[in-house]
Amino acid sequence: MIRKHFAGFAASALALAVSAQAFAGTVTTDGADIVVKTKGGLEVATTDKQFSFKVGGRVQADYSQFDGFYTANGDSADAAYFRRAFIEIGGVAFTDWKYQFSYDLSHNAGSSEDGYWDEASIQYSGFSPVNVKVGRFDPDFGLEKATSSKWVTAPERNAAYDLIDWANGHQNGLGIQVNGTAGPSLYGSLGLHAKDQNDVDGDSVKQFNVRGVFAPMHEAGNVLHLGVNFAKRDLDDVGGLDTRIRSRLGMRGVSTSGGNDAGTNGNRLLLAGANNQVAGSYGDDTAWGLEAAWAMGPLSVQGEYIKRELDADSSANQDIEAKGYYAQIAYTLTGEARDYKLGRFDAIKPSNKQTGAWEVFYRYDYIEGDDDTVGTTASSTVEGKVHNVGLNWYANDNVRLTGAYVKAKVDNQQNANGDDDGDGIVLRAQYVF
């Protein structure tokens, strides 16, 4: 065991050495032999698979231009920013223990107080096919969320997720999750998460998540995927509560968080809720989700439906309800099928490394919130509708270029200039290693 432990540390040391200087020679160890891989990052592993160490990451550089509802004055604005710039370190220790650390150099994940961690987790897989995961990671809720941001079809995930940002975001908290499979077609997960938010007694807000997937067809180019999601948290006795449900409507550049900011020009849709609610204003906050996908060769179709209910505990407040859905169709012009792993989609890998893979897509998002305190007409329901149409070029396994046109329409709310619709374009250059 000591010799194998030493081989694990040797693997880590060798990874740093190789990254600094490549040279010909022989590597010897007093334990298992070491294999070095450089395709898709730098990975060092022992041949007995007891230890591995991999360094990788992703860079997504975006430029967006938008007008109308997306800006406070209705005029055109633009933003250039790093959407993500992750350094990722992961691997295996003693066969059954896995670790994953992902740090966002663009400061869009996490915070200055807790660090800009997208993930920092440890997983035990010794109960195969059941895994136990502990640390900071996003709760399991939704098909698009389960798919890596590297390989979701459009530049941004669907607008319906804006209704439930707490249900599938770690929000600087910690969690424990049990997940596993039953045969090749069934996947399930159960999670408990403590968020970086406390009630008046000092207890952190707890969140419960469950997700189940049935995929009787589960191979690339031959997929039938069905899933259900549920999440719940208790907001009773939480002071300074922010119940606002807001949406960027598919245009990240209008956000006022992190580096994705168009200054004072940005505008976001408010569907329901208010900020700084006193303790005892609201209690149970629940979210439900349904997901479905079908793929045949280069064609894929997917969609999700999401509903949220926030129960008022005070007569001075109204119950808040929100719902939304999206429907997406994508087609790879060069014939490649999108990879699928049970519970999520994965990358499109070009069959021709010279021309790459070309994919066209269209997605329609619909969201609405019901709250008597929000809205500019007699109706209390605020609606947002978003059309996304775009083109992806997977130049090779590492480089992806994306161009998308986004058009939004809003009912029962306007920006300061009176606009209730807006247009925008998003251009992205992505490198994955």
Side-chain angles (χ1 to χ4, degrees):
M1 183 62 69
I2 294 177
R3 295 173 60 187
K4 292 182 179 179
H5 185 65
F6 175 81
F9 282 103
S12 301
L14 181 61
L16 298 177
V18 172
S19 63
Q21 179 179 9
F23 58 91
T26 301
V27 176
T28 60
T29 71
D30 64 350
D33 290 340
I34 292 175
V35 177
V36 179
K37 299 179 181 179
T38 57
K39 183 178 180 180
L42 176 64
E43 182 177 2
V44 182
T46 56
T47 54
D48 61 6
K49 299 182 179 180
Q50 286 222 21
F51 298 94
S52 69
F53 178 86
K54 183 176 181 178
V55 179
R58 74 194 74 171
V59 176
Q60 296 174 342
D62 285 16
Y63 173 78
S64 58
Q65 187 173 29
F66 40 90
D67 60 19
F69 182 84
Y70 286 118
T71 62
N73 57 14
D75 294 337
S76 179
D78 67 353
Y81 49 89
F82 284 112
R83 179 64 177 90
R84 295 177 181 89
F86 288 176
I87 293 294
E88 302 167 350
I89 299 175
V92 176
F94 297 106
T95 306
D96 294 328
W97 293 93
K98 299 180 181 179
Y99 57 92
Q100 183 66 43
F101 303 102
S102 179
Y103 196 83
D104 188 2
L105 301 177
S106 65
H107 292 181
N108 289 316
S111 67
S112 58
E113 292 83 5
D114 296 307
Y116 297 99
W117 294 100
D118 180 66
E119 181 171 347
S121 66
I122 299 173
Q123 178 174 290
Y124 180 70
S125 303
F127 302 129
S128 182
V130 175
N131 308 299
V132 180
K133 189 176 184 179
V134 179
R136 177 167 295 175
F137 54 91
D138 289 335
D140 197 3
F141 192 111
L143 171 59
E144 260 205 323
K145 186 65 177 181
T147 301
S148 170
S149 63
K150 298 179 291 188
W151 310 125
V152 291
T153 304
E156 296 298 327
R157 294 184 174 99
N158 69 91
Y161 282 170
D162 292 338
L163 310 179
I164 54 158
D165 55 350
W166 59 273
N168 55 16
H170 60 66
Q171 298 179 323
N172 300 330
L174 297 176
I176 180 170
Q177 176 183 283
V178 177
N179 65 70
T181 60
S185 301
L186 292 173
Y187 165 84
S189 69
L190 182 67
L192 178 63
H193 300 262
K195 296 302 183 69
D196 186 21
Q197 184 179 24
N198 296 328
D199 62 20
V200 293
D201 296 323
D203 294 328
S204 62
V205 173
K206 306 298 192 301
Q207 175 182 324
F208 170 79
N209 275 61
V210 60
R211 179 174 181 237
V213 170
F214 174 54
M217 299 158 54
H218 44 261
E219 298 177 352
N222 185 33
V223 175
L224 178 59
H225 169 110
L226 302 171
V228 61
N229 302 267
F230 176 77
K232 183 176 182 178
R233 62 176 180 170
D234 184 6
L235 298 179
D236 194 23
D237 296 329
V238 176
L241 182 63
D242 186 356
T243 62
R244 289 176 298 176
I245 301 177
R246 299 187 295 171
S247 176
R248 300 180 180 91
L249 295 176
M251 187 62 61
R252 183 76 183 195
V254 305
S255 172
T256 56
S257 64
N260 306 345
D261 190 7
T264 59
N265 292 325
N267 185 55
R268 293 168 66 179
L269 175 64
L270 175 63
L271 292 106
N275 198 7
N276 294 319
Q277 301 280 348
V278 299
S281 297
Y282 288 91
D284 290 341
D285 193 3
T286 54
W288 294 266
L290 299 174
E291 57 191 68
W294 173 79
M296 184 62 67
L299 175 67
S300 66
V301 179
Q302 69 181 71
E304 297 182 58
Y305 173 83
I306 290 171
K307 185 175 182 179
R308 178 183 176 185
E309 293 182 354
L310 180 54
D311 296 334
D313 274 359
S314 169
S315 59
N317 296 285
Q318 298 282 339
D319 290 346
I320 296 175
E321 295 184 357
K323 62 182 178 181
Y325 63 85
Y326 76 91
Q328 174 182 285
I329 183 170
Y331 186 80
T332 311
L333 300 174
T334 45
E336 291 89 346
R338 181 176 295 275
D339 282 351
Y340 177 84
K341 298 178 181 179
L342 187 57
R344 59 186 173 89
F345 280 103
D346 205 58
I348 290 180
K349 297 180 179 179
S351 56
N352 187 321
K353 303 303 181 183
Q354 300 299 317
T355 60
W358 294 81
E359 179 189 41
V360 293
F361 66 87
Y362 169 77
R363 190 183 75 208
Y364 175 73
D365 301 349
Y366 173 86
I367 54 176
E368 71 173 51
D370 190 2
D371 182 356
D372 290 339
T373 63
V374 176
T376 58
T377 70
S379 173
S380 62
T381 300
V382 178
E383 297 179 333
K385 306 164 187 176
V386 187
H387 299 272
N388 305 265
V389 60
L391 175 68
N392 289 315
W393 179 36
Y394 301 85
N396 50 53
D397 291 346
N398 304 96
V399 177
R400 169 185 172 181
L401 302 178
T402 298
Y405 169 72
V406 182
K407 183 174 180 61
K409 178 72 170 66
V410 173
D411 292 333
N412 296 332
Q413 195 178 110
Q414 300 171 338
N415 68 2
N417 200 43
D419 288 310
D420 60 2
D421 59 11
D423 298 85
I425 60 169
V426 181
L427 303 176
R428 171 174 295 175
Q430 171 179 288
Y431 181 75
V432 176
F433 61 95

